Amino acid sequence: MWHQRMKMSPRQLLLILGITAAAVSAQGESLTDDWTPVSENHEWTTWFNVDHPGGYGDYEQLEAIRFYYRARVCETPRAIEARTTEWIPARETGETVHADPSVGFWCLNEEQGPDRNCSNYAVRFLCPKDFTVNIQATWGQWSDWTPCPAACDQVGVQIRTRDCLSHSVPCIGPKVEQRACSGPECPTSGCSLHCVIGRANAECDACMCEEHILLGSVRGAGGLSAEGAAILRNGKLLTLTDHNGHFRIPGVCPDGNTTLTISLQGHSPLTAVVPVSMEHTSVLSVQMKRIEKLHVLNNPESKSRVEGQTAAFCCKVTGAPPPDNYQWFHNNTLLERKTETTLVLKDLRPEQAGEYYCRASGPSGAIKTKPATLKVIGKNEPSCKPQPDSHLIRLPHDCYQNSTDSFYYDVGKCPTTICVGQLDNGIRCKDKISYCCGVETMEKRQVTCQGYQLPTMVVTKCGCQKCVDTKTIVHGRAIAADNGEPMRFGHIFMNGVRISRTGYKGTFSVQVPPDTERLVLTFVDNMQKFVNTTKVLPFHTKGGAVYHEIKLLRKKAPITISSTDTNMLELGEVEGQEAMVQIQIPPNSFYKENGEVFVGNVNASVTFLDPRNVSTAAAAQSDLNYVGNEGDTLPLRTYGMFSVDFRGEENNEPLNAGEVKVFLDSAQVKMSEHLNTMKLWSLNPDTGLWEEEGSLQMEKKRRGKREERTFLIGNMEIRERRLFNLDVPENRRCYVKVRAFRSERFMPSEQVEGVVVSLINMEPSPGYSSNPRAWGRFDSVVTGSNGACLPAFCDEQKADAYTAHVMANLGGEELEAVASTPKLNPNLIGVPQPYLGKLNYRRSDHEDPRVKKTSLSINVAKPSPNAAEEGNGPVYPFEKLKDCEEAQFSAAHFRFSRVEGDRYDYNTVPFNEDAPMSWTEDYLSWWPKPMEYRACYIKVKINSPHEINVRSRNMGGTHPKTVGQLYGLRDTRSIRDMDQNTVSAVCLEFKCSGMLYDQERVDRTLVKVIPQGSCKRDHVNTMLQEYLVNHLPLAVNNDTNEFTMLAPLDPLGHNYGIYTVTDQDPRTAKEIALGRCFDGTSDSTSRVMKSNDGVALSFTCGDREVSQQSVFQALQNSQGQGSVSVVRGEGRQNRNRPKPNAPRSSSRRSTRNPAGKRRKNKN
């Protein structure tokens, strides 16, 4: 109700409330001052803020406040007080406002003068003390009992209803009552049908009332007239609606028992009961709903079983009408007599292993679920391989291992695959407990380094155990595609329900619900600046956070057209080129949402996404997929998307349009075979899938006296859906294998999970006179433990028919592709010759070294079955997706790597921050809880002409299980102050104090902060020192070259120089804490180091330059690797200079190479 009201004009809203602006202005008595006397029997409520000043203004209505906070506002408030969210009283803002304690408070933007909107207000009410809210409203009178519907000698049920007299307070008790009733006695012979009124017809299947006429009106989806709708009774056609959607049926009895079925193409069948009437004529009006295409709610779940056990697979599919047939397939072979939603396999045998999926079908189409894998293990075979896989970590610079002639050490790891575990006898779709292969035993070993022993935990045996509970997060920013402007305080919807909002900077975070297979989110801008945008966001199914940048198209400024004229709207965004699409709206085609014809001026805003401009690719809606007739999810290739918004000029009410024609210039279709398959599509915002609206036919049209052009012409209706697409199904499909790495060493153990890899399919160019910057499809996939496979269009006959651009992004940080100049290096790129030459690999800076190195382009050449060297990646035929997903590391693939920076992390217990399921239960784990990550940083100021490396050594402090044992090391290089050449600062991570994994006892981590070189401690933050003194025990600090503390249990803040953030994702927690530390505040963030703000410690260091064999110059690893990571930055000149609209990234904050060149390390 509230959201509907917000769509009305401000003046409409006041009229509905039954008040006038003059009666409740700010100068009235209802809006109180601070000095309003309050009697002892009254008190103020808390402050309420249920609306924001977007749209028409700020409306803090009492009815809406009661809806959200029913028990907190009295029945009749005595007064109302309003203040802005900056605590400025309403009277002092200079704004025109209105208030009435019986209605609420409102401020209209249109009354504030030019270029000014209302502030964001909060209100409170003066109520009697100890008031009680009547939470039970009053019922109205019961209706009459309905006629007894029972046939002769049968028993039926009569019902009666009543309505609640309040819209805001619920009524207690039933709304409907029923009672049994008996039908009349059956006649001894003839028709047995009993009619309450009228008589039985000749067929004895319906009652007839010769003197009664039923008049009806049928509206389609969006309120448009439904011509040709079929009206049926008992399956027999009675009549069809005329061009106005009207029908007339004589002889139908208005007995409340006659049921009609209305059927209309493209709509769900609807049943309606002829209402009870004593008149000779009765009226029935119905509105149809669009057919809801079948879509999958739950896919079958992969399982692991021992031979002889039982497995159950289930699928859940919905639609309107729902599916009426199910089929199950095993390895693409139909299973006979398996037609239920659940497939049960008993007494399993090895040959039953493989992939299973179900296919549902019905009147609204067909769809296939994703396949689930069944693993059948022999009775004497282990469920998990006991021997761990190899996993190399990088050791500190002074831990060179002569035995392996490297800085690496194998700590082993267990693959997080499903296993059997301990199952009960229940047959379930989803196992009650999930079991995964994981660490069964670990062994502490001492690694010999220069002058000390470094402890490390090594996996010695894997076993089947309960899977680590994880949470899956998608987060990022929603920004304008043209200039990066954030969508502030926008709404985020999933399945039609608002689940989150964007922040002031456009940031958002959404927890993915369990069992979600396809995450479809719609971003809605309250300020109406941007087009509503539906995105299908890939996420990490094993848990963790994935960052997405949502690019939004800015709404086109509306133009005013007349509803009684023929209007032609041209769509095209590329300068110097003809319009790509034209939309023709005939006269009198606009309708209100209730179906009435609209007459008047229309504000028409049509926003077009032009595929001739490659910069628009990231703003493409959804993932350009549709469901084919057989239920397969198939790709589309776009020739343009357009979003329409029609509103009445006077009251801004949304309008629909019928009989609209769409013209696509055939000269813009470069592939002639696409001309015959072009279709119109609309986007279903709930499923993120495109649904067919109609086909386009070729027709020649004359423009001017001489010019004749050929167009593809189609008809459409603009109803409840407002986003449309001109697409062709494309069957030349492949997959491209891509992997992401922590460094340019491209080692298997340094692969990064959770990287969003995107591929833009470009328009074919060889043999076509096309724009080389035009695109046809945009896809994104998230890397897992074995990389990612991206869908792409490909061609076997012409290697260069389709080209693609590929990019990779991790948490807002763009990863680098492998160089293609001065010459191709197949070993680094990951693809052997001659296939690499055929693919024409190019990095984005191939021709211009000034261009960023963050994308690659290839010819998507489908592998030839006659060329052996092309059968092992990186391009795979569409039917070999499984081969791509399970490809060995030695198979060909394209590579991206992180830009490393000056940071090195070492964990005694290995943990991959990209894969939360790699967490291990151990007292020495850096992160004690896998679903709650707490990041802690201390800010250290360095007085020195040089940048200094600073280490935190983190050991057990007070817990008997860990005291004196190493949790890990963190090394970070300081960042020079932009304004002071002799000052730098560093934000240094340390292990937070708190409960260990058993959650029984806290440990205050013993943290040593050790600057490298000749340094002396100058100052300790007085508030931090006071806290440590008052929270014993107190660590000994005799050595002035370092600082030792038992880390605080409390989150403290910038006043102490300590920064703590807890999040469900470790990278996110670190990013937020680092941003606050850089800024020196507890609630803001910065990418520029502020050396004098929020400092905990100060050191003065000597003039000696850091040697070349420093920690950071010797190490070549980046953040997040199992137990070690090193990060190398971009160059000193970029360290403190944030890029426009670029999200903050920790790996970009600290750098050390003034020339921006990389140094190679010698292992």
Side-chain angles (χ1 to χ4, degrees):
M1 187 70 183
W2 176 247
H3 294 296
Q4 292 174 350
R5 184 172 291 111
M6 291 299 293
K7 294 180 180 178
M8 302 178 183
S9 70
R11 199 59 60 179
Q12 275 184 304
L13 179 59
L14 298 182
L15 293 175
I16 290 175
L17 294 176
I19 55 179
T20 64
V24 293
S25 66
Q27 286 70 36
E29 297 179 357
S30 299
L31 189 63
T32 70
D33 286 317
D34 293 339
W35 47 263
T36 298
V38 179
S39 70
E40 294 181 355
N41 298 324
H42 290 76
E43 62 182 355
W44 288 103
T45 66
T46 56
W47 292 95
F48 303 102
N49 186 359
V50 298
D51 191 28
H52 293 272
Y56 298 114
D58 193 1
Y59 299 86
E60 305 296 336
Q61 282 189 275
L62 183 58
E63 180 183 353
I65 293 172
R66 280 208 180 106
F67 178 82
Y68 292 107
Y69 309 101
R70 181 174 295 119
R72 292 167 61 179
V73 183
C74 54
E75 291 282 350
T76 309
R78 178 186 173 191
I80 181 174
E81 182 179 357
R83 290 185 175 183
T84 70
T85 53
E86 283 79 27
W87 296 98
I88 301 174
R91 293 182 179 277
E92 299 178 11
T93 61
E95 298 174 359
T96 302
V97 297
H98 312 267
D100 186 328
S102 64
V103 176
F105 172 94
W106 62 99
C107 174
L108 306 179
N109 287 336
E110 66 180 13
E111 296 180 349
Q112 308 311 318
D115 301 324
R116 180 171 179 179
N117 286 339
C118 295
S119 301
N120 190 6
Y121 286 93
V123 299
R124 64 177 181 175
F125 298 89
L126 189 63
C127 287
K129 289 185 177 179
D130 302 323
F131 70 87
T132 57
V133 177
N134 180 16
I135 59 173
Q136 178 177 349
T138 305
W139 288 102
Q141 295 294 322
W142 286 104
S143 67
D144 295 332
W145 290 103
T146 59
C148 183
C152 64
D153 291 343
Q154 301 291 323
V155 176
V157 175
Q158 291 175 290
I159 63 172
R160 65 176 182 174
T161 62
R162 58 180 177 174
D163 294 323
C164 185
L165 299 181
S166 173
H167 294 291
S168 58
V169 180
C171 291
I172 305 300
K175 182 178 182 179
V176 179
E177 283 188 347
Q178 61 184 25
R179 69 180 183 184
C181 63
S182 300
E185 294 184 1
C186 291
T188 56
S189 61
C191 179
S192 61
L193 176 66
H194 167 68
C195 295
V196 177
I197 56 176
R199 61 179 180 83
N201 62 4
E203 291 81 10
C204 194
D205 62 358
C207 296
M208 293 179 58
C209 297
E210 287 88 348
E211 297 182 356
H212 181 265
I213 297 176
L214 175 65
L215 302 178
S217 172
V218 180
R219 298 283 178 183
L224 303 182
S225 300
E227 181 181 0
I231 315 298
L232 304 99
R233 181 180 60 191
N234 298 331
K236 296 179 180 178
L237 179 65
L238 298 181
T239 187
L240 297 175
T241 57
D242 61 18
H243 67 285
N244 289 318
H246 298 159
F247 65 87
R248 180 179 184 275
I249 305 176
V252 175
C253 290
D255 55 4
N257 197 37
T258 300
T259 301
L260 302 179
T261 301
I262 299 94
S263 177
L264 178 65
Q265 184 178 6
H267 293 71
S268 297
L270 180 69
T271 58
V273 176
V274 179
V276 175
S277 175
M278 304 303 294
E279 305 295 331
H280 291 291
T281 302
S282 58
V283 178
L284 178 67
S285 297
V286 297
Q287 180 162 342
M288 310 286 287
K289 291 185 177 180
R290 179 194 294 265
I291 276 185
E292 183 182 336
K293 294 285 187 179
L294 295 184
H295 60 279
V296 178
L297 294 180
N298 295 112
N299 290 284
E301 183 184 71
S302 295
K303 299 180 185 292
S304 182
R305 294 290 187 268
V306 174
E307 187 177 352
Q309 289 185 328
T310 298
F313 295 105
C314 306
C315 68
K316 187 175 181 180
V317 176
T318 187
D324 53 21
N325 182 44
Y326 287 87
Q327 296 172 308
W328 284 93
F329 295 79
H330 175 221
N331 293 336
N332 292 320
T333 301
L334 177 65
L335 298 175
E336 299 294 337
R337 298 184 298 278
K338 304 293 184 181
T339 58
E340 303 295 329
T341 59
T342 301
L343 172 67
V344 179
L345 303 174
K346 298 182 178 181
D347 194 19
L348 287 170
R349 304 179 303 277
E351 59 268 24
Q352 290 179 283
E355 290 187 340
Y356 290 84
Y357 68 87
C358 87
R359 179 182 182 272
S361 57
S364 52
I367 194 168
K368 294 178 181 177
T369 66
K370 290 184 178 180
T373 301
L374 175 63
K375 183 180 178 182
V376 180
I377 302 168
K379 292 184 178 180
N380 298 321
E381 296 179 21
S383 180
C384 293
K385 185 182 70 170
Q387 184 67 29
D389 295 339
S390 174
H391 182 68
L392 300 176
I393 64 170
R394 178 85 181 186
L395 298 174
H397 71 287
D398 51 0
C399 290
Y400 186 82
Q401 301 299 294
N402 294 321
S403 58
T404 60
D405 194 26
S406 72
F407 282 102
Y408 290 94
Y409 194 84
D410 192 350
V411 297
K413 72 172 182 179
C414 300
T416 54
T417 54
I418 60 172
C419 55
V420 178
Q422 299 177 355
L423 301 175
D424 54 24
N425 296 323
I427 299 176
R428 297 184 178 87
C429 300
K430 181 179 177 65
D431 290 339
K432 191 174 183 179
I433 300 175
S434 299
Y435 289 91
C436 298
C437 294
V439 176
E440 184 172 310
T441 59
M442 299 184 76
E443 176 182 292
K444 181 183 282 190
R445 295 180 185 173
Q446 300 292 334
V447 179
T448 302
C449 302
Q450 295 179 13
Y452 67 97
Q453 296 288 312
L454 181 70
T456 187
M457 301 296 290
V458 177
V459 180
T460 56
K461 186 178 180 181
C462 300
C464 190
Q465 54 191 251
K466 293 180 181 178
C467 298
V468 175
D469 290 329
T470 61
K471 292 184 179 179
T472 302
I473 308 292
V474 294
H475 65 118
R477 296 176 69 220
I479 59 175
D482 52 2
N483 63 0
E485 177 188 353
M487 182 178 78
R488 295 188 171 101
F489 310 117
H491 295 304
I492 303 176
F493 290 84
M494 181 168 64
N495 296 326
V497 178
R498 192 182 78 181
I499 59 169
S500 186
R501 298 186 71 173
T502 61
Y504 180 77
K505 296 183 179 180
T507 56
F508 67 91
S509 180
V510 173
Q511 183 174 327
V512 181
D515 303 323
T516 299
E517 297 285 348
R518 181 178 168 88
L519 181 64
V520 182
L521 300 180
T522 298
F523 295 78
V524 178
D525 179 26
N526 286 334
M527 306 301 291
Q528 298 293 313
K529 291 182 179 180
F530 305 111
V531 173
N532 292 355
T533 300
T534 298
K535 288 285 189 178
V536 180
L537 300 182
F539 56 92
H540 204 340
T541 56
K542 293 183 179 180
V546 174
Y547 180 91
H548 290 280
E549 204 161 75
I550 309 301
K551 299 294 182 68
L552 308 170
L553 282 180
R554 192 178 298 277
K555 272 189 176 181
K556 284 292 182 185
I559 60 172
T560 303
I561 58 178
S562 173
S563 65
T564 58
D565 296 337
T566 298
N567 296 282
M568 183 72 78
L569 306 177
E570 294 193 340
L571 309 180
E573 299 296 320
V574 179
E575 288 189 24
Q577 295 195 37
E578 291 278 357
M580 196 165 184
V581 178
Q582 296 175 348
I583 298 178
Q584 185 184 73
I585 307 173
N588 304 312
S589 295
F590 289 102
Y591 292 80
K592 299 179 182 178
E593 289 187 332
N594 62 3
E596 297 179 11
V597 176
F598 175 84
V599 178
N601 288 337
V602 177
N603 288 333
S605 172
V606 183
T607 307
F608 185 60
L609 186 143
D610 197 327
R612 295 174 298 181
N613 181 359
V614 72
S615 66
T616 63
Q621 301 242 11
S622 182
D623 57 358
L624 284 173
N625 287 328
Y626 75 104
V627 177
N629 294 332
E630 296 301 315
D632 297 290
T633 301
L634 303 171
L636 293 169
R637 182 253 188 263
T638 187
Y639 279 91
M641 301 178 186
F642 56 95
S643 171
V644 298
D645 187 16
F646 297 141
R647 295 180 179 270
E649 183 183 40
E650 290 188 4
N651 54 15
N652 205 40
E653 64 176 319
L655 303 174
N656 299 326
E659 301 298 329
V660 175
K661 281 193 173 184
V662 177
F663 297 80
L664 172 63
D665 187 355
S666 63
Q668 304 294 339
V669 182
K670 307 302 179 182
M671 302 182 71
S672 57
E673 58 266 37
H674 286 175
L675 294 172
N676 298 322
T677 57
M678 188 74 64
K679 297 178 184 294
L680 268 169
W681 307 78
S682 66
L683 180 65
N684 184 330
D686 293 333
T687 65
L689 294 168
W690 294 89
E691 298 175 5
E692 185 178 338
E693 289 282 338
S695 300
L696 284 83
Q697 305 297 326
M698 290 189 65
E699 186 176 331
K700 291 187 177 181
K701 291 284 183 181
R702 185 174 298 278
R703 290 186 54 181
K705 295 182 178 180
R706 298 183 179 179
E707 183 184 6
E708 186 177 69
R709 295 171 62 185
T710 302
F711 288 89
L712 291 169
I713 302 177
N715 296 314
M716 63 182 292
E717 293 178 347
I718 298 174
R719 300 174 295 189
E720 77 281 11
R721 294 188 184 172
R722 299 303 173 107
L723 185 69
F724 302 93
N725 201 354
L726 294 157
D727 276 26
V728 293
E730 181 60 88
N731 56 10
R732 287 174 285 191
R733 298 170 288 160
C734 288
Y735 285 97
V736 178
K737 184 75 172 187
V738 178
R739 299 179 189 268
F741 297 86
R742 306 184 192 286
S743 70
E744 291 180 336
R745 289 181 297 278
F746 304 122
M747 297 179 61
S749 61
E750 294 186 349
Q751 293 190 78
V752 182
E753 301 183 42
V755 175
V756 179
V757 186
S758 302
L759 184 145
I760 304 176
N761 253 116
M762 305 303 291
E763 185 177 290
S765 54
Y768 305 98
S769 56
S770 68
N771 176 4
R773 291 180 57 81
W775 62 278
R777 185 177 172 82
F778 181 90
D779 285 281
S780 294
V781 179
V782 173
T783 59
S785 58
N786 199 36
C789 296
L790 288 116
F793 296 141
C794 59
D795 194 272
E796 185 178 356
Q797 303 301 321
K798 293 182 179 181
D800 55 353
Y802 284 100
T803 60
H805 289 291
V806 186
M807 299 146 288
N809 187 291
L810 177 65
E813 170 194 350
E814 295 176 310
L815 276 61
E816 285 192 2
V818 180
S820 58
T821 56
K823 67 176 183 178
L824 293 175
N825 186 333
N827 292 329
L828 284 179
I829 295 172
V831 181
Q833 293 286 19
Y835 197 18
L836 181 60
K838 183 178 179 180
L839 296 174
N840 193 31
Y841 177 93
R842 294 286 187 272
R843 193 168 72 174
S844 46
D845 66 340
H846 184 80
E847 296 180 352
D848 187 351
R850 296 171 297 178
V851 177
K852 290 198 297 185
K853 309 168 184 178
T854 53
S855 71
L856 62 88
S857 66
I858 57 170
N859 295 332
V860 191
K862 187 175 182 179
S864 171
N866 300 322
E869 67 276 6
E870 299 180 13
N872 198 29
V875 181
Y876 293 82
F878 188 79
E879 62 274 10
K880 292 190 176 182
L881 172 60
K882 191 173 182 179
D883 292 349
C884 179
E885 292 177 336
E886 299 178 356
Q888 297 293 320
F889 184 81
S890 57
H893 57 269
F894 295 110
R895 297 169 172 175
F896 285 87
S897 63
R898 296 192 66 181
V899 180
E900 296 179 304
D902 295 338
R903 191 170 67 210
Y904 172 75
D905 297 350
Y906 175 82
N907 295 332
T908 300
V909 179
F911 174 65
N912 184 351
E913 292 177 359
D914 302 326
M917 291 187 72
S918 66
W919 180 83
T920 305
E921 282 188 358
D922 195 274
Y923 284 104
L924 293 177
S925 293
W926 185 275
W927 307 98
K929 292 180 67 176
M931 289 196 295
E932 183 178 291
Y933 298 94
R934 193 177 182 209
C936 293
Y937 285 81
I938 184 170
K939 191 167 186 177
V940 182
K941 179 179 177 181
I942 304 294
N943 296 302
S944 173
H946 307 295
E947 293 169 337
I948 301 297
N949 303 319
V950 185
R951 165 173 290 183
S952 73
R953 184 176 180 87
N954 304 269
M955 305 177 70
T958 59
H959 197 290
K961 294 283 189 181
T962 62
V963 62
Q965 299 185 64
L966 183 70
Y967 289 116
L969 305 175
R970 295 294 186 266
D971 293 326
T972 308
R973 188 180 179 88
S974 65
I975 298 175
R976 194 185 308 279
D977 191 285
M978 295 182 65
D979 300 320
Q980 304 176 66
N981 292 332
T982 60
V983 175
S984 62
V986 60
C987 290
L988 184 66
E989 185 184 8
F990 64 90
K991 185 185 183 304
C992 305
S993 294
M995 291 284 188
L996 300 187
Y997 86 90
D998 60 5
Q999 299 295 299
E1000 291 183 357
R1001 182 172 176 175
V1002 301
D1003 180 40
R1004 288 189 64 186
T1005 311
L1006 182 64
V1007 180
K1008 281 185 177 289
V1009 178
I1010 313 168
Q1012 181 187 6
S1014 177
C1015 299
K1016 181 179 179 180
R1017 188 175 68 244
D1018 290 332
H1019 178 70
V1020 178
N1021 184 298
T1022 53
M1023 294 183 66
L1024 175 61
Q1025 184 65 38
E1026 182 179 351
Y1027 176 92
L1028 297 176
V1029 169
N1030 292 332
H1031 293 77
L1032 301 177
L1034 183 65
V1036 178
N1037 258 306
N1038 293 331
D1039 191 346
T1040 59
N1041 295 326
E1042 59 188 39
F1043 174 75
T1044 306
M1045 69 173 178
L1046 286 168
L1049 284 168
D1050 301 305
L1052 300 186
H1054 69 285
N1055 290 328
Y1056 300 80
I1058 302 293
Y1059 303 86
T1060 306
V1061 171
T1062 302
D1063 196 84
Q1064 296 170 338
D1065 175 67
R1067 282 201 309 258
T1068 304
K1070 285 184 169 185
E1071 282 294 303
I1072 298 172
L1074 271 172
R1076 293 176 181 175
C1077 182
F1078 268 56
D1079 194 61
T1081 62
S1082 296
D1083 54 3
S1084 188
T1085 186
S1086 174
R1087 298 181 71 240
V1088 177
M1089 178 65 78
K1090 299 178 181 178
S1091 302
N1092 297 311
D1093 297 333
V1095 174
L1097 306 171
S1098 294
F1099 287 87
T1100 297
C1101 300
D1103 293 339
R1104 183 171 63 86
E1105 184 79 58
V1106 176
S1107 66
Q1108 185 169 353
Q1109 269 299 320
S1110 68
V1111 173
F1112 306 98
Q1113 293 163 330
L1115 299 174
Q1116 292 286 320
N1117 206 345
S1118 63
Q1119 177 187 6
Q1121 176 192 351
S1123 63
V1124 185
S1125 61
V1126 178
V1127 187
R1128 188 178 71 237
E1130 302 173 78
R1132 181 173 302 170
Q1133 66 274 22
N1134 295 330
R1135 181 178 304 117
N1136 294 319
R1137 201 166 298 159
K1139 298 177 181 179
N1141 306 318
R1144 176 179 44 76
S1145 171
S1146 60
S1147 66
R1148 303 278 183 178
R1149 286 199 189 92
S1150 57
T1151 59
R1152 58 181 168 78
N1153 187 353
K1157 299 178 181 178
R1158 296 185 174 183
R1159 293 179 181 144
K1160 296 183 179 179
N1161 286 1
K1162 298 178 181 179
N1163 292 342

